[in-house]
Amino acid sequence: MISRRDFLQQVSGAMVAAAASYPLLSWAADNAEVVVPGKEGMIVRSARFLDLEMPPEFADSWITPVHHFFVRNHMHEPSTLDANSWRLNIGGEVEKPLILSLADLAKLEPHSVTNTLECAGNGRGFQQPNVPGVQWGKGAVGTGRFTGPRLRDLLQRAGVKSTGKHVMFRGLDEIPGKVPAFIRSIPVEKATDSDTLVATHMNGAPLTRHHGFPARCLVPGWIGAASCKWLTEIKVLDKEFEGNFMKPAYRMPNQPIAPGGQVNPDDTHAVTGLNVKSIIAGPADGPLLKSKAVHIHGAAWAGEADVVRVEISTDSGATWQPAQLSKEQTHYAWRLWNYDWKAPKAGDYTLMSRATDSQGRTQPQSADWNPSGYLYNAIDQVKIHVAA
Amino acid sequence: MSQRDSFQNFLARQCVWTIAVFTLLSVLQLWSQSPELPPGPVQGKIRTACLECHDSRIIVQQRLNKAAWTKEVDKMIKWGAVVDAADRDAFIDYLSSNFPSDKPAEPMSRTSSPKKRDHP
């Protein structure tokens, strides 16, 4: 008869094998259940590479818990990440190139920024005519509290030369085939902003693997792609980085273009700050509501600007009433809002939300079309039916 | 039966459960490989060429016209997809007829909770 200890060892062996097969399940089986430990109830836009969208009903919390935070990967996540052997190389147009360990980062003064991170392609699925790319709905967005040393402090130690104009980031993403590496750059002015971080923590805990462990950039108010995950190299350049993910990817036409139109790649600029935008977290789109009292709520954000107003329409956009903005408020973070409404009678209603920011930008009726579907920010809407 | 025996029986049942569930899932996994890729003359070739780097979700969720599908296939070939030159047009035909711009959006599933599986 096997001893209890042997038996327990066998059981734990089976558990380890079972645990190891989790990622495999999501790898090969496209239709099988997708289990991503640490991520629950997320819309699976892609299992391999992992692209997970937050369902809009979770936009009801000022800080998005990590298990509901969207995940956007352009390629495979690093297969091994070891905090002890991880190093950050800083070079290029600097006086003194540096190689830093995680312990070195921990010695620098930490700074925290509560930031709404949104993928540039959030809402791409609503663009008409359709454009290629991950067909995100409303939820490639979330708000996290990111902590780590300021990028400015690292750059100061390295000493940026006067020739340094852009700061390039490279992560440890694993590149399949001949796919270009995920490398992008931001202007030195933004890199040295006092709120731009090399974050090691998110919501008070070390970054998880899906969010860039052990360190990532946090470029507040800008598209998610600027905030490079699994950061391993920072290079100061004398001009904007030229590579696939700076051009042709992540660019907007300089002039508005007709939906479906062509763009001259030389008449474009890199996508940087986020648009003004709001989404309705509840009620959900579609259901039959039993009560005439409807609690309409959601979140609104504006990148580097501040949300000053959210308005609600319950009559398909004919009239608008101000929503109440929640107290929690910091620069770069979304504002939660709510509006209590009593349906005058049973029937179908289209509820809409429209945000306005401190730069005077207001969500448009229809978003500017562009060939990659970036920065979609049309007025949000849900259709409901109130029962008699 | 002693307490210890019943504990071992409990563990044995758990172990059998775990193995059974995972065997079943791996069988399901084999059956359901890329089920969303609809049948067609190049279905097998698309599976081989196009699911090497990513799964089929990123393909089946697109709603594009033939010109846009042509650009996608050429971009993927440039990025390393192995497509026989003689098959390129058939790939584009397959993709643009199965995932055209006027087809309703693809329903996407949600991640399920690992807890549910650990404690059935």
PDB file of all heavy atoms in Angstrom, chain A residues 116-144:
ATOM      1  N   THR A 116      -5.870  56.259 -16.001  1.00  0.00           N
ATOM      2  CA  THR A 116      -6.752  55.467 -16.862  1.00  0.00           C
ATOM      3  C   THR A 116      -5.965  55.082 -18.104  1.00  0.00           C
ATOM      4  O   THR A 116      -5.499  55.941 -18.849  1.00  0.00           O
ATOM      5  CB  THR A 116      -8.019  56.264 -17.218  1.00  0.00           C
ATOM      6  OG1 THR A 116      -8.749  56.476 -16.008  1.00  0.00           O
ATOM      7  CG2 THR A 116      -8.888  55.506 -18.212  1.00  0.00           C
ATOM      8  N   LEU A 117      -5.782  53.790 -18.244  1.00  0.00           N
ATOM      9  CA  LEU A 117      -5.022  53.252 -19.367  1.00  0.00           C
ATOM     10  C   LEU A 117      -6.034  52.766 -20.398  1.00  0.00           C
ATOM     11  O   LEU A 117      -6.951  52.025 -20.048  1.00  0.00           O
ATOM     12  CB  LEU A 117      -4.185  52.078 -18.848  1.00  0.00           C
ATOM     13  CG  LEU A 117      -2.917  51.674 -19.570  1.00  0.00           C
ATOM     14  CD1 LEU A 117      -1.921  52.816 -19.629  1.00  0.00           C
ATOM     15  CD2 LEU A 117      -2.283  50.485 -18.849  1.00  0.00           C
ATOM     16  N   GLU A 118      -5.891  53.215 -21.626  1.00  0.00           N
ATOM     17  CA  GLU A 118      -6.816  52.769 -22.671  1.00  0.00           C
ATOM     18  C   GLU A 118      -6.012  52.408 -23.900  1.00  0.00           C
ATOM     19  O   GLU A 118      -5.076  53.119 -24.282  1.00  0.00           O
ATOM     20  CB  GLU A 118      -7.824  53.882 -23.019  1.00  0.00           C
ATOM     21  CG  GLU A 118      -8.870  53.424 -24.042  1.00  0.00           C
ATOM     22  CD  GLU A 118      -9.801  54.540 -24.530  1.00  0.00           C
ATOM     23  OE1 GLU A 118      -9.441  55.727 -24.426  1.00  0.00           O
ATOM     24  OE2 GLU A 118     -10.877  54.193 -25.042  1.00  0.00           O
ATOM     25  N   CYS A 119      -6.389  51.291 -24.516  1.00  0.00           N
ATOM     26  CA  CYS A 119      -5.753  50.883 -25.763  1.00  0.00           C
ATOM     27  C   CYS A 119      -6.204  51.843 -26.859  1.00  0.00           C
ATOM     28  O   CYS A 119      -7.385  52.210 -26.926  1.00  0.00           O
ATOM     29  CB  CYS A 119      -6.188  49.466 -26.090  1.00  0.00           C
ATOM     30  SG  CYS A 119      -5.647  48.910 -27.706  1.00  0.00           S
ATOM     31  N   ALA A 120      -5.273  52.256 -27.722  1.00  0.00           N
ATOM     32  CA  ALA A 120      -5.607  53.166 -28.817  1.00  0.00           C
ATOM     33  C   ALA A 120      -6.740  52.614 -29.669  1.00  0.00           C
ATOM     34  O   ALA A 120      -7.528  53.360 -30.240  1.00  0.00           O
ATOM     35  CB  ALA A 120      -4.377  53.412 -29.685  1.00  0.00           C
ATOM     36  N   GLY A 121      -6.848  51.291 -29.736  1.00  0.00           N
ATOM     37  CA  GLY A 121      -7.845  50.658 -30.597  1.00  0.00           C
ATOM     38  C   GLY A 121      -9.158  50.360 -29.894  1.00  0.00           C
ATOM     39  O   GLY A 121     -10.034  49.712 -30.482  1.00  0.00           O
ATOM     40  N   ASN A 122      -9.330  50.841 -28.648  1.00  0.00           N
ATOM     41  CA  ASN A 122     -10.587  50.573 -27.943  1.00  0.00           C
ATOM     42  C   ASN A 122     -11.755  51.135 -28.755  1.00  0.00           C
ATOM     43  O   ASN A 122     -11.720  52.288 -29.170  1.00  0.00           O
ATOM     44  CB  ASN A 122     -10.552  51.226 -26.555  1.00  0.00           C
ATOM     45  CG  ASN A 122     -11.676  50.743 -25.657  1.00  0.00           C
ATOM     46  OD1 ASN A 122     -12.187  49.638 -25.841  1.00  0.00           O
ATOM     47  ND2 ASN A 122     -12.057  51.553 -24.689  1.00  0.00           N
ATOM     48  N   GLY A 123     -12.785  50.308 -28.992  1.00  0.00           N
ATOM     49  CA  GLY A 123     -13.942  50.741 -29.776  1.00  0.00           C
ATOM     50  C   GLY A 123     -13.779  50.526 -31.271  1.00  0.00           C
ATOM     51  O   GLY A 123     -14.674  50.860 -32.044  1.00  0.00           O
ATOM     52  N   ARG A 124     -12.638  49.939 -31.668  1.00  0.00           N
ATOM     53  CA  ARG A 124     -12.410  49.710 -33.109  1.00  0.00           C
ATOM     54  C   ARG A 124     -13.577  48.945 -33.748  1.00  0.00           C
ATOM     55  O   ARG A 124     -13.952  49.192 -34.885  1.00  0.00           O
ATOM     56  CB  ARG A 124     -11.108  48.938 -33.307  1.00  0.00           C
ATOM     57  CG  ARG A 124     -10.817  48.633 -34.783  1.00  0.00           C
ATOM     58  CD  ARG A 124      -9.530  47.845 -34.948  1.00  0.00           C
ATOM     59  NE  ARG A 124      -8.357  48.646 -34.664  1.00  0.00           N
ATOM     60  CZ  ARG A 124      -7.430  48.340 -33.764  1.00  0.00           C
ATOM     61  NH1 ARG A 124      -7.546  47.240 -33.042  1.00  0.00           N
ATOM     62  NH2 ARG A 124      -6.389  49.115 -33.586  1.00  0.00           N
ATOM     63  N   GLY A 125     -14.156  48.016 -32.980  1.00  0.00           N
ATOM     64  CA  GLY A 125     -15.249  47.192 -33.496  1.00  0.00           C
ATOM     65  C   GLY A 125     -16.467  48.002 -33.917  1.00  0.00           C
ATOM     66  O   GLY A 125     -17.332  47.494 -34.627  1.00  0.00           O
ATOM     67  N   PHE A 126     -16.564  49.279 -33.460  1.00  0.00           N
ATOM     68  CA  PHE A 126     -17.721  50.114 -33.826  1.00  0.00           C
ATOM     69  C   PHE A 126     -17.458  50.950 -35.072  1.00  0.00           C
ATOM     70  O   PHE A 126     -18.355  51.640 -35.549  1.00  0.00           O
ATOM     71  CB  PHE A 126     -18.087  51.053 -32.671  1.00  0.00           C
ATOM     72  CG  PHE A 126     -18.389  50.344 -31.374  1.00  0.00           C
ATOM     73  CD1 PHE A 126     -17.637  50.605 -30.236  1.00  0.00           C
ATOM     74  CD2 PHE A 126     -19.416  49.404 -31.305  1.00  0.00           C
ATOM     75  CE1 PHE A 126     -17.904  49.954 -29.040  1.00  0.00           C
ATOM     76  CE2 PHE A 126     -19.690  48.747 -30.105  1.00  0.00           C
ATOM     77  CZ  PHE A 126     -18.933  49.019 -28.973  1.00  0.00           C
ATOM     78  N   GLN A 127     -16.212  50.962 -35.548  1.00  0.00           N
ATOM     79  CA  GLN A 127     -15.889  51.804 -36.709  1.00  0.00           C
ATOM     80  C   GLN A 127     -16.600  51.297 -37.953  1.00  0.00           C
ATOM     81  O   GLN A 127     -16.618  50.100 -38.225  1.00  0.00           O
ATOM     82  CB  GLN A 127     -14.376  51.783 -36.975  1.00  0.00           C
ATOM     83  CG  GLN A 127     -13.570  52.494 -35.922  1.00  0.00           C
ATOM     84  CD  GLN A 127     -13.342  53.966 -36.228  1.00  0.00           C
ATOM     85  OE1 GLN A 127     -14.008  54.556 -37.068  1.00  0.00           O
ATOM     86  NE2 GLN A 127     -12.388  54.558 -35.541  1.00  0.00           N
ATOM     87  N   GLN A 128     -17.190  52.196 -38.699  1.00  0.00           N
ATOM     88  CA  GLN A 128     -17.829  51.857 -39.968  1.00  0.00           C
ATOM     89  C   GLN A 128     -17.280  52.762 -41.047  1.00  0.00           C
ATOM     90  O   GLN A 128     -17.313  53.966 -40.848  1.00  0.00           O
ATOM     91  CB  GLN A 128     -19.350  52.037 -39.866  1.00  0.00           C
ATOM     92  CG  GLN A 128     -20.054  50.895 -39.143  1.00  0.00           C
ATOM     93  CD  GLN A 128     -19.847  49.551 -39.811  1.00  0.00           C
ATOM     94  OE1 GLN A 128     -19.702  49.472 -41.034  1.00  0.00           O
ATOM     95  NE2 GLN A 128     -19.803  48.485 -39.033  1.00  0.00           N
ATOM     96  N   PRO A 129     -16.807  52.264 -42.196  1.00  0.00           N
ATOM     97  CA  PRO A 129     -16.615  50.850 -42.491  1.00  0.00           C
ATOM     98  C   PRO A 129     -15.597  50.176 -41.556  1.00  0.00           C
ATOM     99  O   PRO A 129     -14.742  50.842 -40.970  1.00  0.00           O
ATOM    100  CB  PRO A 129     -16.099  50.856 -43.932  1.00  0.00           C
ATOM    101  CG  PRO A 129     -15.852  52.270 -44.324  1.00  0.00           C
ATOM    102  CD  PRO A 129     -16.420  53.154 -43.300  1.00  0.00           C
ATOM    103  N   ASN A 130     -15.704  48.840 -41.445  1.00  0.00           N
ATOM    104  CA  ASN A 130     -14.817  48.055 -40.575  1.00  0.00           C
ATOM    105  C   ASN A 130     -13.358  48.240 -40.935  1.00  0.00           C
ATOM    106  O   ASN A 130     -13.029  48.428 -42.095  1.00  0.00           O
ATOM    107  CB  ASN A 130     -15.122  46.563 -40.739  1.00  0.00           C
ATOM    108  CG  ASN A 130     -16.543  46.231 -40.379  1.00  0.00           C
ATOM    109  OD1 ASN A 130     -17.055  46.732 -39.399  1.00  0.00           O
ATOM    110  ND2 ASN A 130     -17.180  45.392 -41.170  1.00  0.00           N
ATOM    111  N   VAL A 131     -12.532  48.153 -39.916  1.00  0.00           N
ATOM    112  CA  VAL A 131     -11.083  48.208 -40.151  1.00  0.00           C
ATOM    113  C   VAL A 131     -10.440  46.991 -39.482  1.00  0.00           C
ATOM    114  O   VAL A 131     -10.996  46.453 -38.523  1.00  0.00           O
ATOM    115  CB  VAL A 131     -10.474  49.522 -39.606  1.00  0.00           C
ATOM    116  CG1 VAL A 131     -11.016  50.723 -40.368  1.00  0.00           C
ATOM    117  CG2 VAL A 131     -10.735  49.681 -38.122  1.00  0.00           C
ATOM    118  N   PRO A 132      -9.283  46.542 -39.981  1.00  0.00           N
ATOM    119  CA  PRO A 132      -8.651  45.350 -39.385  1.00  0.00           C
ATOM    120  C   PRO A 132      -7.995  45.656 -38.043  1.00  0.00           C
ATOM    121  O   PRO A 132      -7.590  46.784 -37.783  1.00  0.00           O
ATOM    122  CB  PRO A 132      -7.593  44.953 -40.420  1.00  0.00           C
ATOM    123  CG  PRO A 132      -7.300  46.202 -41.190  1.00  0.00           C
ATOM    124  CD  PRO A 132      -8.551  47.015 -41.158  1.00  0.00           C
ATOM    125  N   GLY A 133      -7.882  44.624 -37.215  1.00  0.00           N
ATOM    126  CA  GLY A 133      -7.268  44.765 -35.895  1.00  0.00           C
ATOM    127  C   GLY A 133      -8.151  44.079 -34.869  1.00  0.00           C
ATOM    128  O   GLY A 133      -9.231  43.587 -35.205  1.00  0.00           O
ATOM    129  N   VAL A 134      -7.715  44.066 -33.610  1.00  0.00           N
ATOM    130  CA  VAL A 134      -8.535  43.478 -32.557  1.00  0.00           C
ATOM    131  C   VAL A 134      -9.851  44.255 -32.527  1.00  0.00           C
ATOM    132  O   VAL A 134      -9.846  45.481 -32.473  1.00  0.00           O
ATOM    133  CB  VAL A 134      -7.824  43.561 -31.188  1.00  0.00           C
ATOM    134  CG1 VAL A 134      -8.698  42.939 -30.105  1.00  0.00           C
ATOM    135  CG2 VAL A 134      -6.470  42.873 -31.234  1.00  0.00           C
ATOM    136  N   GLN A 135     -10.976  43.547 -32.583  1.00  0.00           N
ATOM    137  CA  GLN A 135     -12.278  44.223 -32.682  1.00  0.00           C
ATOM    138  C   GLN A 135     -12.809  44.573 -31.287  1.00  0.00           C
ATOM    139  O   GLN A 135     -13.880  44.113 -30.858  1.00  0.00           O
ATOM    140  CB  GLN A 135     -13.265  43.339 -33.460  1.00  0.00           C
ATOM    141  CG  GLN A 135     -12.829  43.068 -34.894  1.00  0.00           C
ATOM    142  CD  GLN A 135     -12.767  44.344 -35.742  1.00  0.00           C
ATOM    143  OE1 GLN A 135     -13.768  45.033 -35.900  1.00  0.00           O
ATOM    144  NE2 GLN A 135     -11.581  44.669 -36.269  1.00  0.00           N
ATOM    145  N   TRP A 136     -12.057  45.408 -30.591  1.00  0.00           N
ATOM    146  CA  TRP A 136     -12.448  45.818 -29.238  1.00  0.00           C
ATOM    147  C   TRP A 136     -13.826  46.466 -29.225  1.00  0.00           C
ATOM    148  O   TRP A 136     -14.159  47.247 -30.109  1.00  0.00           O
ATOM    149  CB  TRP A 136     -11.463  46.859 -28.683  1.00  0.00           C
ATOM    150  CG  TRP A 136     -10.046  46.443 -28.523  1.00  0.00           C
ATOM    151  CD1 TRP A 136      -8.973  46.938 -29.219  1.00  0.00           C
ATOM    152  CD2 TRP A 136      -9.505  45.513 -27.571  1.00  0.00           C
ATOM    153  NE1 TRP A 136      -7.808  46.362 -28.763  1.00  0.00           N
ATOM    154  CE2 TRP A 136      -8.092  45.488 -27.757  1.00  0.00           C
ATOM    155  CE3 TRP A 136     -10.057  44.698 -26.579  1.00  0.00           C
ATOM    156  CZ2 TRP A 136      -7.251  44.681 -27.001  1.00  0.00           C
ATOM    157  CZ3 TRP A 136      -9.208  43.895 -25.827  1.00  0.00           C
ATOM    158  CH2 TRP A 136      -7.830  43.888 -26.036  1.00  0.00           C
ATOM    159  N   GLY A 137     -14.593  46.183 -28.149  1.00  0.00           N
ATOM    160  CA  GLY A 137     -15.829  46.908 -27.892  1.00  0.00           C
ATOM    161  C   GLY A 137     -15.513  48.115 -27.016  1.00  0.00           C
ATOM    162  O   GLY A 137     -14.703  48.961 -27.391  1.00  0.00           O
ATOM    163  N   LYS A 138     -16.130  48.144 -25.820  1.00  0.00           N
ATOM    164  CA  LYS A 138     -15.975  49.331 -24.967  1.00  0.00           C
ATOM    165  C   LYS A 138     -14.851  49.208 -23.936  1.00  0.00           C
ATOM    166  O   LYS A 138     -14.454  50.198 -23.331  1.00  0.00           O
ATOM    167  CB  LYS A 138     -17.288  49.589 -24.218  1.00  0.00           C
ATOM    168  CG  LYS A 138     -18.455  49.840 -25.155  1.00  0.00           C
ATOM    169  CD  LYS A 138     -19.763  50.080 -24.403  1.00  0.00           C
ATOM    170  CE  LYS A 138     -20.910  50.196 -25.406  1.00  0.00           C
ATOM    171  NZ  LYS A 138     -22.195  50.496 -24.756  1.00  0.00           N
ATOM    172  N   GLY A 139     -14.386  47.957 -23.691  1.00  0.00           N
ATOM    173  CA  GLY A 139     -13.625  47.754 -22.461  1.00  0.00           C
ATOM    174  C   GLY A 139     -12.130  47.517 -22.552  1.00  0.00           C
ATOM    175  O   GLY A 139     -11.570  46.904 -21.653  1.00  0.00           O
ATOM    176  N   ALA A 140     -11.450  48.047 -23.592  1.00  0.00           N
ATOM    177  CA  ALA A 140      -9.979  47.966 -23.551  1.00  0.00           C
ATOM    178  C   ALA A 140      -9.497  49.197 -22.779  1.00  0.00           C
ATOM    179  O   ALA A 140      -8.742  50.045 -23.274  1.00  0.00           O
ATOM    180  CB  ALA A 140      -9.391  47.916 -24.955  1.00  0.00           C
ATOM    181  N   VAL A 141      -9.982  49.323 -21.566  1.00  0.00           N
ATOM    182  CA  VAL A 141      -9.708  50.489 -20.714  1.00  0.00           C
ATOM    183  C   VAL A 141      -9.841  50.071 -19.255  1.00  0.00           C
ATOM    184  O   VAL A 141     -10.611  49.155 -18.933  1.00  0.00           O
ATOM    185  CB  VAL A 141     -10.687  51.645 -21.059  1.00  0.00           C
ATOM    186  CG1 VAL A 141     -12.137  51.261 -20.779  1.00  0.00           C
ATOM    187  CG2 VAL A 141     -10.323  52.931 -20.317  1.00  0.00           C
ATOM    188  N   GLY A 142      -9.077  50.719 -18.387  1.00  0.00           N
ATOM    189  CA  GLY A 142      -9.175  50.451 -16.956  1.00  0.00           C
ATOM    190  C   GLY A 142      -8.353  51.490 -16.225  1.00  0.00           C
ATOM    191  O   GLY A 142      -7.520  52.183 -16.831  1.00  0.00           O
ATOM    192  N   THR A 143      -8.611  51.625 -14.919  1.00  0.00           N
ATOM    193  CA  THR A 143      -7.856  52.611 -14.134  1.00  0.00           C
ATOM    194  C   THR A 143      -7.069  51.894 -13.050  1.00  0.00           C
ATOM    195  O   THR A 143      -7.644  51.111 -12.284  1.00  0.00           O
ATOM    196  CB  THR A 143      -8.819  53.658 -13.529  1.00  0.00           C
ATOM    197  OG1 THR A 143      -9.455  54.332 -14.601  1.00  0.00           O
ATOM    198  CG2 THR A 143      -8.074  54.663 -12.662  1.00  0.00           C
ATOM    199  N   GLY A 144      -5.780  52.140 -13.014  1.00  0.00           N
ATOM    200  CA  GLY A 144      -4.929  51.497 -12.021  1.00  0.00           C
ATOM    201  C   GLY A 144      -4.091  52.531 -11.293  1.00  0.00           C
ATOM    202  O   GLY A 144      -3.888  53.651 -11.780  1.00  0.00           O
TER     203      GLY A 144
END
